[in-house]
Amino acid sequence: MASREIADDVANFESFVSQRGFQMLVDQMNGQILLGNGTSPNLSGLLLSANRTAFDYTASNPYYQTVDSANEIDCLTVAINNLLILGYSADLILVNPAQFGKLSLLKDSTGEYLKNDNFRIVASNQAVVNGVNVYASNKVSDDAFYIADSSKAFGLVRKGGLNLRVTSEGQDLFKKNLIMMELSARISTLVLRKEATILGDFSDAKTALETP
């Protein structure tokens, strides 16, 4: 919602819609793309069990019980290599913002913050692990990580452009001198190869990778 004063100021209104409105729409779209339950009108989210592959915590994983003092970077590196073994090149990693904060606080044996050719923080919500971009997303649960070869795993289809509807109808809106805006877009997810993705839990992955 916005006040009529904002709506009457065309320049500010357009700025409000293009910035705040678009940000809110993108957040809703991201939620649907990842977490949609598949029941119309919701999307079939990429994190649904039918649309992704679980991290292998068993002895069939080539890296099972092979890592000393396994940490979160090890988990991501192993998942990247697991995809590589299958012929996929990971280009996207998503983690929860709280978990991203933990990554940024990792230190080496000398107490220095971890930073090397395999791992570096490049922005407040972005890091790079083995050349793969890692992004913080509040759509991912705290202990989880999602890795994909996005060019082969899924596609996003947008039908038409953005639609904006503005109304001042309704007694409550009239009394409060407000208008209501609805910004919408039509998109759908297309799962191509779920084996080109991995969803795992850091705590379970570290336990599986740790040398006995």
Side-chain angles (χ1 to χ4, degrees), residues 89-102:
S89 297
D91 60 3
L92 171 69
I93 300 176
L94 300 176
V95 300
N96 183 273
Q99 184 61 59
F100 185 88
K102 295 176 184 177

Side-chain angles (χ1 to χ4, degrees), residues 52-152:
R52 47 76 177 173
T53 303
F55 186 91
D56 186 355
Y57 304 104
T58 72
S60 61
N61 189 324
Y63 303 96
Y64 180 73
Q65 295 186 346
T66 63
V67 182
D68 294 330
S69 303
N71 62 27
E72 289 79 4
I73 303 302
D74 296 319
C75 298
L76 298 180
T77 301
V78 165
I80 291 170
N81 290 337
N82 285 160
L83 288 182
L84 189 61
I85 290 171
L86 296 176
Y88 300 109
S89 297
D91 60 3
L92 171 69
I93 300 176
L94 300 176
V95 300
N96 183 273
Q99 184 61 59
F100 185 88
K102 295 176 184 177
L103 294 179
S104 66
L105 293 174
L106 289 175
K107 298 180 179 180
D108 60 25
S109 58
T110 67
E112 295 292 327
Y113 286 109
L114 192 61
K115 180 181 179 181
N116 52 50
D117 292 339
N118 295 327
F119 171 72
R120 66 185 186 278
I121 301 291
V122 296
S124 61
N125 66 340
Q126 182 183 353
V128 176
V129 173
N130 277 19
V132 182
N133 287 319
V134 183
Y135 298 98
S137 170
N138 60 9
K139 308 306 179 186
V140 179
S141 60
D142 180 46
D143 194 41
F145 58 89
Y146 175 78
I147 299 183
D149 180 341
S150 62
S151 65
K152 296 182 177 67

